[in-house]
Amino acid sequence: MSVRAVVPVAMRLSWLVLFALMIGEFVTDLPGPGWATTFLPAMVVLALMVATTTLQARAAAPRGEPRPPVEVDPPVTGRWSALNSPADKVPSHGTHVYGQTYAIDIVADPETGHGEPPARPAFRWFWPLFRRNRAFPAFGAPLLAVADATVVRASDGQRDHLSRTSLAGLVHLMLIEGNVRSIAGARRVIGNHVILDLGDGTYAAYAHVRRGSLKVAAGDRVRAGQEIGRVGNSGNTTEPHLHFHLMDGPDPDDARGVPFTWRGVGVPANGETFTVGTDAGAAG
């Protein structure tokens, strides 16, 4: 097992030790280890967190010149808007970990009639604290295979949580939920997901899939344009959306990002809307 794989495991074990010591000290009436003994594992946890972040970032960073963008079909149809796009900055999400150097987030953005409110709820500072997923047009939208491929991973057992589109929700996500998910590992960060082997050392990752929506399993062969699941709100998310990226291996913990371009669309920039028809992509 590599050092990069061992350090996150050691960090999680250290957290368990720390929690056990804190429970013994402050919750039960058992003799506790005392502040001095509790402080030491806390420092070990902190050191391991820094080491994990550093090792993962260094190992996942691109080496040498980036590969030419791999052209694939768009993973959705309809009208969408891009967020956190590699067209604006790389790494697009501020980190290379999980192979997401060139990742993109997209949200459904259907047109509405004149004078009607936007179909996608906007961020609210104070109220409502959260919204149910059905309020967002992306939730339940079909996800399509971007190429003929083999499914190497398929998981959809995690719940779709409520939105984090208020100040309180965002603070909770950034300070509490996000850190807990990071400790739990990549699977809890990306939520329900599908990873496709496109061949030639390229893998496509779809994250935050809707619970119970997958139509494929590991080992299945899929054709370009085939529905493989539905957009959800699982994992480290603020609202229902698709997180998509290409990488050079099937395991997000070990993979490096690969640039992509969507056939007929390209790589939409932050805030740019694009429309994909049912038969062919077309920039909007």
Side-chain angles (χ1 to χ4, degrees), residues 52-121:
T52 299
T53 301
T54 302
L55 285 171
Q56 287 181 324
R58 288 180 178 175
R63 302 289 176 83
E65 293 296 321
R67 291 172 51 177
V70 176
E71 185 178 55
V72 295
D73 290 340
V76 294
T77 59
R79 188 173 185 265
W80 296 73
S81 292
L83 305 171
N84 301 316
S85 171
D88 293 277
K89 69 172 184 176
V90 175
S92 57
H93 286 57
T95 180
H96 297 289
V97 299
Y98 306 141
Q100 60 181 334
T101 300
Y102 305 98
I104 191 170
D105 294 329
I106 57 174
V107 292
D109 194 12
E111 293 189 78
T112 57
H114 180 69
E116 295 180 10
R120 174 183 164 230

Short mmCIF file of all heavy atoms in Angstrom, two decimals, residues 52-121:
data_model
loop_
_atom_site.label_atom_id
_atom_site.label_comp_id
_atom_site.label_asym_id
_atom_site.label_seq_id
_atom_site.Cartn_x
_atom_site.Cartn_y
_atom_site.Cartn_z
N THR A 52 -1.94 14.66 4.65
CA THR A 52 -2.84 14.08 3.66
C THR A 52 -3.13 15.05 2.53
O THR A 52 -3.05 14.70 1.34
CB THR A 52 -4.16 13.66 4.32
OG1 THR A 52 -3.90 12.69 5.32
CG2 THR A 52 -5.12 13.08 3.30
N THR A 53 -3.47 16.27 2.89
CA THR A 53 -3.78 17.28 1.88
C THR A 53 -2.57 17.53 0.98
O THR A 53 -2.70 17.62 -0.25
CB THR A 53 -4.19 18.60 2.57
OG1 THR A 53 -5.33 18.35 3.39
CG2 THR A 53 -4.55 19.65 1.54
N THR A 54 -1.39 17.64 1.57
CA THR A 54 -0.18 17.90 0.80
C THR A 54 0.15 16.75 -0.13
O THR A 54 0.45 16.94 -1.32
CB THR A 54 1.00 18.17 1.74
OG1 THR A 54 0.69 19.27 2.59
CG2 THR A 54 2.26 18.49 0.95
N LEU A 55 0.11 15.52 0.40
CA LEU A 55 0.44 14.34 -0.40
C LEU A 55 -0.55 14.16 -1.55
O LEU A 55 -0.16 13.87 -2.68
CB LEU A 55 0.45 13.09 0.47
CG LEU A 55 1.66 12.91 1.39
CD1 LEU A 55 1.43 11.75 2.34
CD2 LEU A 55 2.93 12.67 0.57
N GLN A 56 -1.84 14.32 -1.25
CA GLN A 56 -2.85 14.15 -2.29
C GLN A 56 -2.70 15.20 -3.38
O GLN A 56 -2.80 14.89 -4.57
CB GLN A 56 -4.25 14.20 -1.69
CG GLN A 56 -4.62 12.98 -0.89
CD GLN A 56 -6.02 13.06 -0.33
OE1 GLN A 56 -6.49 14.13 0.07
NE2 GLN A 56 -6.72 11.94 -0.29
N ALA A 57 -2.47 16.45 -2.98
CA ALA A 57 -2.34 17.52 -3.96
C ALA A 57 -1.12 17.31 -4.85
O ALA A 57 -1.19 17.47 -6.07
CB ALA A 57 -2.26 18.87 -3.26
N ARG A 58 0.00 16.94 -4.26
CA ARG A 58 1.22 16.72 -5.04
C ARG A 58 1.09 15.54 -5.98
O ARG A 58 1.50 15.59 -7.13
CB ARG A 58 2.41 16.51 -4.10
CG ARG A 58 2.87 17.78 -3.38
CD ARG A 58 4.04 17.48 -2.47
NE ARG A 58 4.52 18.69 -1.80
CZ ARG A 58 5.48 18.70 -0.89
NH1 ARG A 58 6.06 17.56 -0.52
NH2 ARG A 58 5.85 19.84 -0.34
N ALA A 59 0.50 14.45 -5.47
CA ALA A 59 0.38 13.25 -6.29
C ALA A 59 -0.62 13.43 -7.43
O ALA A 59 -0.48 12.82 -8.49
CB ALA A 59 -0.04 12.07 -5.41
N ALA A 60 -1.66 14.25 -7.20
CA ALA A 60 -2.70 14.41 -8.21
C ALA A 60 -2.41 15.52 -9.21
O ALA A 60 -3.09 15.61 -10.23
CB ALA A 60 -4.04 14.70 -7.53
N ALA A 61 -1.41 16.35 -8.96
CA ALA A 61 -1.10 17.45 -9.88
C ALA A 61 -0.59 16.91 -11.21
O ALA A 61 0.09 15.88 -11.26
CB ALA A 61 -0.05 18.36 -9.25
N PRO A 62 -0.93 17.56 -12.32
CA PRO A 62 -0.46 17.11 -13.64
C PRO A 62 1.07 17.10 -13.70
O PRO A 62 1.74 17.92 -13.08
CB PRO A 62 -1.04 18.16 -14.59
CG PRO A 62 -2.20 18.75 -13.86
CD PRO A 62 -1.82 18.73 -12.41
N ARG A 63 1.60 16.15 -14.44
CA ARG A 63 3.04 16.04 -14.64
C ARG A 63 3.36 16.41 -16.09
O ARG A 63 2.81 15.83 -17.03
CB ARG A 63 3.51 14.61 -14.36
CG ARG A 63 3.19 14.13 -12.95
CD ARG A 63 4.05 14.82 -11.91
NE ARG A 63 3.69 14.44 -10.55
CZ ARG A 63 4.13 13.34 -9.93
NH1 ARG A 63 4.94 12.50 -10.57
NH2 ARG A 63 3.75 13.07 -8.70
N GLY A 64 4.25 17.37 -16.28
CA GLY A 64 4.63 17.77 -17.63
C GLY A 64 3.50 18.51 -18.33
O GLY A 64 2.62 19.09 -17.72
N GLU A 65 3.53 18.47 -19.64
CA GLU A 65 2.50 19.13 -20.44
C GLU A 65 1.18 18.38 -20.34
O GLU A 65 1.16 17.15 -20.37
CB GLU A 65 2.93 19.21 -21.91
CG GLU A 65 4.11 20.13 -22.16
CD GLU A 65 3.78 21.58 -21.83
OE1 GLU A 65 2.65 22.01 -22.14
OE2 GLU A 65 4.65 22.25 -21.25
N PRO A 66 0.06 19.10 -20.21
CA PRO A 66 -1.23 18.41 -20.12
C PRO A 66 -1.57 17.68 -21.41
O PRO A 66 -1.14 18.08 -22.50
CB PRO A 66 -2.22 19.54 -19.85
CG PRO A 66 -1.55 20.78 -20.36
CD PRO A 66 -0.08 20.56 -20.13
N ARG A 67 -2.33 16.61 -21.29
CA ARG A 67 -2.78 15.87 -22.46
C ARG A 67 -3.72 16.75 -23.29
O ARG A 67 -4.39 17.64 -22.75
CB ARG A 67 -3.53 14.61 -22.03
CG ARG A 67 -2.66 13.55 -21.40
CD ARG A 67 -3.48 12.41 -20.83
NE ARG A 67 -4.46 11.85 -21.75
CZ ARG A 67 -5.23 10.80 -21.47
NH1 ARG A 67 -5.12 10.21 -20.29
NH2 ARG A 67 -6.08 10.34 -22.36
N PRO A 68 -3.77 16.52 -24.60
CA PRO A 68 -4.77 17.24 -25.40
C PRO A 68 -6.17 16.92 -24.89
O PRO A 68 -6.42 15.81 -24.40
CB PRO A 68 -4.55 16.68 -26.82
CG PRO A 68 -3.18 16.11 -26.80
CD PRO A 68 -2.94 15.62 -25.41
N PRO A 69 -7.10 17.86 -24.98
CA PRO A 69 -8.47 17.58 -24.51
C PRO A 69 -9.07 16.38 -25.24
O PRO A 69 -8.91 16.21 -26.45
CB PRO A 69 -9.22 18.87 -24.85
CG PRO A 69 -8.16 19.92 -24.92
CD PRO A 69 -6.95 19.24 -25.46
N VAL A 70 -9.75 15.55 -24.49
CA VAL A 70 -10.44 14.40 -25.06
C VAL A 70 -11.86 14.83 -25.41
O VAL A 70 -12.60 15.32 -24.55
CB VAL A 70 -10.47 13.23 -24.06
CG1 VAL A 70 -11.29 12.06 -24.63
CG2 VAL A 70 -9.06 12.78 -23.72
N GLU A 71 -12.25 14.67 -26.66
CA GLU A 71 -13.58 15.07 -27.08
C GLU A 71 -14.58 13.94 -26.82
O GLU A 71 -14.38 12.80 -27.24
CB GLU A 71 -13.61 15.42 -28.57
CG GLU A 71 -14.96 15.97 -29.03
CD GLU A 71 -14.98 16.37 -30.49
OE1 GLU A 71 -14.64 15.51 -31.33
OE2 GLU A 71 -15.33 17.52 -30.79
N VAL A 72 -15.62 14.28 -26.08
CA VAL A 72 -16.70 13.33 -25.77
C VAL A 72 -18.04 14.03 -25.97
O VAL A 72 -18.11 15.25 -26.11
CB VAL A 72 -16.58 12.80 -24.33
CG1 VAL A 72 -15.32 11.97 -24.14
CG2 VAL A 72 -16.62 13.95 -23.32
N ASP A 73 -19.11 13.25 -25.98
CA ASP A 73 -20.44 13.82 -26.09
C ASP A 73 -20.82 14.50 -24.76
O ASP A 73 -20.31 14.13 -23.70
CB ASP A 73 -21.47 12.74 -26.40
CG ASP A 73 -21.33 12.19 -27.81
OD1 ASP A 73 -20.72 12.87 -28.65
OD2 ASP A 73 -21.83 11.07 -28.05
N PRO A 74 -21.72 15.48 -24.79
CA PRO A 74 -22.22 16.06 -23.54
C PRO A 74 -22.96 15.01 -22.73
O PRO A 74 -23.60 14.11 -23.28
CB PRO A 74 -23.18 17.17 -24.02
CG PRO A 74 -22.76 17.46 -25.42
CD PRO A 74 -22.28 16.16 -25.98
N PRO A 75 -22.91 15.11 -21.40
CA PRO A 75 -23.56 14.10 -20.54
C PRO A 75 -25.03 14.39 -20.24
O PRO A 75 -25.67 13.65 -19.49
CB PRO A 75 -22.74 14.18 -19.25
CG PRO A 75 -22.29 15.61 -19.20
CD PRO A 75 -22.08 16.04 -20.63
N VAL A 76 -25.57 15.48 -20.82
CA VAL A 76 -26.95 15.88 -20.56
C VAL A 76 -27.58 16.41 -21.84
O VAL A 76 -26.89 16.64 -22.84
CB VAL A 76 -27.01 16.99 -19.48
CG1 VAL A 76 -26.55 16.47 -18.13
CG2 VAL A 76 -26.18 18.20 -19.90
N THR A 77 -28.88 16.61 -21.79
CA THR A 77 -29.58 17.32 -22.86
C THR A 77 -30.36 18.47 -22.22
O THR A 77 -30.61 18.49 -21.01
CB THR A 77 -30.57 16.41 -23.61
OG1 THR A 77 -31.53 15.88 -22.69
CG2 THR A 77 -29.83 15.27 -24.30
N GLY A 78 -30.74 19.45 -23.05
CA GLY A 78 -31.47 20.59 -22.55
C GLY A 78 -30.58 21.81 -22.36
O GLY A 78 -29.47 21.88 -22.90
N ARG A 79 -31.06 22.77 -21.61
CA ARG A 79 -30.35 24.03 -21.39
C ARG A 79 -29.73 24.02 -19.98
O ARG A 79 -30.43 23.82 -18.99
CB ARG A 79 -31.31 25.21 -21.55
CG ARG A 79 -30.63 26.59 -21.53
CD ARG A 79 -31.67 27.66 -21.87
NE ARG A 79 -31.08 28.99 -21.99
CZ ARG A 79 -31.03 29.88 -21.00
NH1 ARG A 79 -31.54 29.57 -19.80
NH2 ARG A 79 -30.49 31.07 -21.18
N TRP A 80 -28.43 24.29 -19.92
CA TRP A 80 -27.67 24.21 -18.67
C TRP A 80 -26.74 25.41 -18.54
O TRP A 80 -26.42 26.07 -19.53
CB TRP A 80 -26.85 22.92 -18.61
CG TRP A 80 -27.69 21.68 -18.59
CD1 TRP A 80 -28.39 21.15 -19.64
CD2 TRP A 80 -27.93 20.83 -17.48
NE1 TRP A 80 -29.06 20.01 -19.24
CE2 TRP A 80 -28.79 19.78 -17.92
CE3 TRP A 80 -27.50 20.83 -16.15
CZ2 TRP A 80 -29.21 18.77 -17.07
CZ3 TRP A 80 -27.92 19.81 -15.31
CH2 TRP A 80 -28.78 18.80 -15.77
N SER A 81 -26.30 25.67 -17.30
CA SER A 81 -25.29 26.69 -17.03
C SER A 81 -24.09 26.05 -16.34
O SER A 81 -24.25 25.11 -15.56
CB SER A 81 -25.86 27.80 -16.14
OG SER A 81 -26.84 28.55 -16.81
N ALA A 82 -22.91 26.59 -16.64
CA ALA A 82 -21.67 26.03 -16.09
C ALA A 82 -21.23 26.79 -14.84
O ALA A 82 -21.40 28.01 -14.74
CB ALA A 82 -20.57 26.09 -17.14
N LEU A 83 -20.67 26.06 -13.90
CA LEU A 83 -20.07 26.61 -12.69
C LEU A 83 -18.71 25.94 -12.48
O LEU A 83 -18.52 24.79 -12.86
CB LEU A 83 -20.96 26.36 -11.47
CG LEU A 83 -22.41 26.85 -11.52
CD1 LEU A 83 -23.18 26.31 -10.32
CD2 LEU A 83 -22.46 28.37 -11.56
N ASN A 84 -17.78 26.65 -11.86
CA ASN A 84 -16.47 26.07 -11.54
C ASN A 84 -15.86 25.39 -12.76
O ASN A 84 -15.48 24.22 -12.72
CB ASN A 84 -16.59 25.06 -10.38
CG ASN A 84 -17.16 25.69 -9.13
OD1 ASN A 84 -16.77 26.79 -8.75
ND2 ASN A 84 -18.09 25.01 -8.49
N SER A 85 -15.75 26.14 -13.84
CA SER A 85 -15.31 25.58 -15.11
C SER A 85 -13.80 25.69 -15.30
O SER A 85 -13.19 26.71 -14.95
CB SER A 85 -16.01 26.30 -16.26
OG SER A 85 -15.45 25.93 -17.50
N PRO A 86 -13.19 24.67 -15.91
CA PRO A 86 -11.76 24.76 -16.25
C PRO A 86 -11.48 25.75 -17.37
O PRO A 86 -10.32 26.05 -17.66
CB PRO A 86 -11.41 23.32 -16.67
CG PRO A 86 -12.71 22.74 -17.14
CD PRO A 86 -13.75 23.36 -16.27
N ALA A 87 -12.54 26.27 -18.00
CA ALA A 87 -12.34 27.32 -19.01
C ALA A 87 -11.89 28.62 -18.36
O ALA A 87 -11.33 29.49 -19.02
CB ALA A 87 -13.64 27.55 -19.79
N ASP A 88 -12.13 28.76 -17.04
CA ASP A 88 -11.79 29.99 -16.32
C ASP A 88 -10.53 29.85 -15.49
O ASP A 88 -9.76 30.80 -15.36
CB ASP A 88 -12.95 30.41 -15.43
CG ASP A 88 -14.17 30.83 -16.23
OD1 ASP A 88 -14.21 31.99 -16.66
OD2 ASP A 88 -15.04 29.98 -16.46
N LYS A 89 -10.34 28.68 -14.88
CA LYS A 89 -9.12 28.47 -14.09
C LYS A 89 -8.86 26.98 -13.95
O LYS A 89 -9.77 26.15 -14.04
CB LYS A 89 -9.23 29.11 -12.71
CG LYS A 89 -10.22 28.43 -11.78
CD LYS A 89 -10.14 29.01 -10.37
CE LYS A 89 -11.07 28.24 -9.41
NZ LYS A 89 -10.95 28.72 -8.03
N VAL A 90 -7.59 26.66 -13.73
CA VAL A 90 -7.16 25.27 -13.51
C VAL A 90 -6.21 25.26 -12.31
O VAL A 90 -5.25 26.03 -12.29
CB VAL A 90 -6.45 24.70 -14.76
CG1 VAL A 90 -5.90 23.32 -14.48
CG2 VAL A 90 -7.41 24.66 -15.96
N PRO A 91 -6.48 24.44 -11.29
CA PRO A 91 -7.60 23.50 -11.18
C PRO A 91 -8.92 24.22 -10.96
O PRO A 91 -8.99 25.19 -10.20
CB PRO A 91 -7.21 22.63 -9.97
CG PRO A 91 -6.33 23.50 -9.15
CD PRO A 91 -5.56 24.34 -10.12
N SER A 92 -9.95 23.73 -11.59
CA SER A 92 -11.23 24.43 -11.62
C SER A 92 -11.91 24.50 -10.26
O SER A 92 -12.65 25.45 -9.98
CB SER A 92 -12.17 23.74 -12.62
OG SER A 92 -12.34 22.37 -12.28
N HIS A 93 -11.67 23.51 -9.40
CA HIS A 93 -12.28 23.49 -8.08
C HIS A 93 -11.27 23.85 -6.99
O HIS A 93 -11.53 23.61 -5.80
CB HIS A 93 -12.89 22.11 -7.81
CG HIS A 93 -14.16 21.85 -8.56
ND1 HIS A 93 -14.24 21.92 -9.94
CD2 HIS A 93 -15.40 21.52 -8.13
CE1 HIS A 93 -15.48 21.63 -10.32
NE2 HIS A 93 -16.20 21.39 -9.24
N GLY A 94 -10.15 24.39 -7.38
CA GLY A 94 -9.14 24.82 -6.42
C GLY A 94 -8.25 23.72 -5.90
O GLY A 94 -7.43 23.95 -5.01
N THR A 95 -8.37 22.50 -6.43
CA THR A 95 -7.55 21.39 -5.99
C THR A 95 -7.42 20.36 -7.11
O THR A 95 -8.29 20.27 -7.99
CB THR A 95 -8.15 20.73 -4.73
OG1 THR A 95 -7.32 19.63 -4.32
CG2 THR A 95 -9.55 20.21 -5.02
N HIS A 96 -6.33 19.58 -7.05
CA HIS A 96 -6.13 18.50 -8.01
C HIS A 96 -6.65 17.16 -7.50
O HIS A 96 -6.68 16.19 -8.26
CB HIS A 96 -4.64 18.35 -8.32
CG HIS A 96 -4.01 19.55 -8.97
ND1 HIS A 96 -4.27 19.93 -10.27
CD2 HIS A 96 -3.14 20.47 -8.48
CE1 HIS A 96 -3.57 21.02 -10.56
NE2 HIS A 96 -2.88 21.37 -9.49
N VAL A 97 -7.02 17.07 -6.22
CA VAL A 97 -7.37 15.78 -5.63
C VAL A 97 -8.62 15.21 -6.29
O VAL A 97 -9.44 15.92 -6.85
CB VAL A 97 -7.58 15.88 -4.10
CG1 VAL A 97 -6.30 16.33 -3.41
CG2 VAL A 97 -8.73 16.81 -3.77
N TYR A 98 -8.72 13.89 -6.21
CA TYR A 98 -9.82 13.11 -6.79
C TYR A 98 -9.85 13.22 -8.31
O TYR A 98 -10.89 12.98 -8.94
CB TYR A 98 -11.18 13.53 -6.21
CG TYR A 98 -11.24 13.49 -4.71
CD1 TYR A 98 -11.93 14.47 -3.99
CD2 TYR A 98 -10.61 12.47 -3.98
CE1 TYR A 98 -11.98 14.44 -2.60
CE2 TYR A 98 -10.64 12.44 -2.60
CZ TYR A 98 -11.33 13.43 -1.91
OH TYR A 98 -11.37 13.41 -0.53
N GLY A 99 -8.73 13.61 -8.93
CA GLY A 99 -8.66 13.68 -10.39
C GLY A 99 -9.48 14.78 -10.99
O GLY A 99 -9.79 14.76 -12.19
N GLN A 100 -9.83 15.81 -10.20
CA GLN A 100 -10.77 16.84 -10.67
C GLN A 100 -10.10 18.13 -11.14
O GLN A 100 -10.71 19.20 -11.09
CB GLN A 100 -11.78 17.13 -9.58
CG GLN A 100 -11.20 17.66 -8.28
CD GLN A 100 -12.27 17.91 -7.23
OE1 GLN A 100 -13.44 18.17 -7.55
NE2 GLN A 100 -11.90 17.84 -5.97
N THR A 101 -8.88 18.04 -11.62
CA THR A 101 -8.17 19.23 -12.10
C THR A 101 -9.00 19.99 -13.14
O THR A 101 -9.07 21.22 -13.12
CB THR A 101 -6.83 18.84 -12.72
OG1 THR A 101 -6.03 18.19 -11.72
CG2 THR A 101 -6.08 20.06 -13.25
N TYR A 102 -9.63 19.26 -14.05
CA TYR A 102 -10.40 19.88 -15.14
C TYR A 102 -11.89 19.61 -14.99
O TYR A 102 -12.63 19.53 -15.99
CB TYR A 102 -9.90 19.35 -16.48
CG TYR A 102 -8.42 19.52 -16.69
CD1 TYR A 102 -7.54 18.47 -16.46
CD2 TYR A 102 -7.89 20.75 -17.10
CE1 TYR A 102 -6.17 18.63 -16.63
CE2 TYR A 102 -6.52 20.92 -17.27
CZ TYR A 102 -5.67 19.85 -17.03
OH TYR A 102 -4.31 20.02 -17.19
N ALA A 103 -12.37 19.50 -13.76
CA ALA A 103 -13.78 19.20 -13.51
C ALA A 103 -14.67 20.40 -13.81
O ALA A 103 -14.22 21.54 -13.83
CB ALA A 103 -13.97 18.76 -12.06
N ILE A 104 -15.92 20.11 -14.04
CA ILE A 104 -16.91 21.17 -14.25
C ILE A 104 -18.20 20.80 -13.53
O ILE A 104 -18.54 19.61 -13.40
CB ILE A 104 -17.19 21.37 -15.76
CG1 ILE A 104 -18.01 22.64 -16.00
CG2 ILE A 104 -17.88 20.15 -16.37
CD1 ILE A 104 -18.10 23.03 -17.47
N ASP A 105 -18.89 21.81 -13.00
CA ASP A 105 -20.23 21.64 -12.43
C ASP A 105 -21.23 22.29 -13.37
O ASP A 105 -20.97 23.38 -13.89
CB ASP A 105 -20.34 22.33 -11.06
CG ASP A 105 -19.46 21.68 -10.01
OD1 ASP A 105 -19.23 20.46 -10.09
OD2 ASP A 105 -18.99 22.41 -9.11
N ILE A 106 -22.36 21.65 -13.57
CA ILE A 106 -23.41 22.25 -14.41
C ILE A 106 -24.76 22.12 -13.70
O ILE A 106 -25.03 21.14 -13.02
CB ILE A 106 -23.48 21.62 -15.81
CG1 ILE A 106 -23.71 20.12 -15.74
CG2 ILE A 106 -22.20 21.92 -16.59
CD1 ILE A 106 -23.94 19.47 -17.11
N VAL A 107 -25.58 23.16 -13.86
CA VAL A 107 -26.93 23.18 -13.28
C VAL A 107 -27.93 23.41 -14.40
O VAL A 107 -27.68 24.16 -15.34
CB VAL A 107 -27.07 24.29 -12.22
CG1 VAL A 107 -26.22 23.96 -10.99
CG2 VAL A 107 -26.70 25.65 -12.77
N ALA A 108 -29.07 22.75 -14.31
CA ALA A 108 -30.12 22.94 -15.31
C ALA A 108 -30.64 24.37 -15.23
O ALA A 108 -30.87 24.90 -14.15
CB ALA A 108 -31.26 21.94 -15.08
N ASP A 109 -30.81 24.99 -16.38
CA ASP A 109 -31.20 26.40 -16.44
C ASP A 109 -32.23 26.60 -17.55
O ASP A 109 -31.99 27.31 -18.53
CB ASP A 109 -29.95 27.25 -16.70
CG ASP A 109 -30.20 28.73 -16.45
OD1 ASP A 109 -31.24 29.06 -15.87
OD2 ASP A 109 -29.34 29.55 -16.85
N PRO A 110 -33.40 25.96 -17.43
CA PRO A 110 -34.41 26.07 -18.49
C PRO A 110 -34.93 27.49 -18.62
O PRO A 110 -35.00 28.24 -17.64
CB PRO A 110 -35.51 25.11 -18.03
CG PRO A 110 -35.34 25.03 -16.56
CD PRO A 110 -33.87 25.15 -16.30
N GLU A 111 -35.27 27.86 -19.83
CA GLU A 111 -35.83 29.19 -20.07
C GLU A 111 -37.25 29.25 -19.51
O GLU A 111 -37.99 28.28 -19.53
CB GLU A 111 -35.84 29.50 -21.56
CG GLU A 111 -34.44 29.65 -22.16
CD GLU A 111 -34.50 30.17 -23.58
OE1 GLU A 111 -34.71 31.38 -23.75
OE2 GLU A 111 -34.35 29.36 -24.51
N THR A 112 -37.62 30.45 -19.03
CA THR A 112 -38.97 30.66 -18.51
C THR A 112 -39.62 31.79 -19.29
O THR A 112 -38.94 32.59 -19.94
CB THR A 112 -38.94 31.00 -17.01
OG1 THR A 112 -38.12 32.17 -16.82
CG2 THR A 112 -38.37 29.85 -16.20
N GLY A 113 -40.93 31.86 -19.20
CA GLY A 113 -41.66 32.89 -19.93
C GLY A 113 -41.41 34.28 -19.37
O GLY A 113 -40.91 34.45 -18.24
N HIS A 114 -41.75 35.28 -20.14
CA HIS A 114 -41.54 36.68 -19.74
C HIS A 114 -42.32 37.01 -18.47
O HIS A 114 -43.51 36.73 -18.36
CB HIS A 114 -41.99 37.62 -20.88
CG HIS A 114 -41.80 39.07 -20.55
ND1 HIS A 114 -40.56 39.64 -20.45
CD2 HIS A 114 -42.71 40.05 -20.29
CE1 HIS A 114 -40.71 40.93 -20.15
NE2 HIS A 114 -42.01 41.20 -20.05
N GLY A 115 -41.61 37.58 -17.50
CA GLY A 115 -42.25 37.97 -16.26
C GLY A 115 -42.36 36.86 -15.24
O GLY A 115 -42.77 37.11 -14.10
N GLU A 116 -41.98 35.63 -15.60
CA GLU A 116 -42.05 34.52 -14.66
C GLU A 116 -40.75 34.44 -13.86
O GLU A 116 -39.69 34.84 -14.33
CB GLU A 116 -42.26 33.20 -15.41
CG GLU A 116 -43.59 33.11 -16.13
CD GLU A 116 -43.75 31.78 -16.85
OE1 GLU A 116 -42.91 30.89 -16.62
OE2 GLU A 116 -44.70 31.64 -17.63
N PRO A 117 -40.82 33.94 -12.62
CA PRO A 117 -39.60 33.81 -11.81
C PRO A 117 -38.67 32.75 -12.40
O PRO A 117 -39.13 31.87 -13.14
CB PRO A 117 -40.14 33.37 -10.44
CG PRO A 117 -41.45 32.71 -10.74
CD PRO A 117 -42.01 33.48 -11.91
N PRO A 118 -37.37 32.83 -12.10
CA PRO A 118 -36.43 31.82 -12.61
C PRO A 118 -36.82 30.42 -12.16
O PRO A 118 -37.36 30.23 -11.06
CB PRO A 118 -35.09 32.26 -11.99
CG PRO A 118 -35.27 33.70 -11.64
CD PRO A 118 -36.72 33.86 -11.29
N ALA A 119 -36.58 29.46 -13.01
CA ALA A 119 -36.93 28.08 -12.67
C ALA A 119 -36.02 27.54 -11.57
O ALA A 119 -36.42 26.67 -10.79
CB ALA A 119 -36.85 27.20 -13.91
N ARG A 120 -34.79 28.02 -11.51
CA ARG A 120 -33.83 27.55 -10.51
C ARG A 120 -33.80 28.52 -9.33
O ARG A 120 -33.49 29.69 -9.51
CB ARG A 120 -32.45 27.44 -11.14
CG ARG A 120 -31.33 27.08 -10.17
CD ARG A 120 -29.99 27.06 -10.86
NE ARG A 120 -28.91 27.09 -9.91
CZ ARG A 120 -27.87 27.91 -9.97
NH1 ARG A 120 -27.77 28.79 -10.95
NH2 ARG A 120 -26.93 27.87 -9.05
N PRO A 121 -34.11 28.07 -8.12
CA PRO A 121 -34.12 28.98 -6.96
C PRO A 121 -32.76 29.63 -6.74
O PRO A 121 -31.71 28.99 -6.88
CB PRO A 121 -34.47 28.04 -5.79
CG PRO A 121 -35.16 26.88 -6.43
CD PRO A 121 -34.50 26.71 -7.77
#
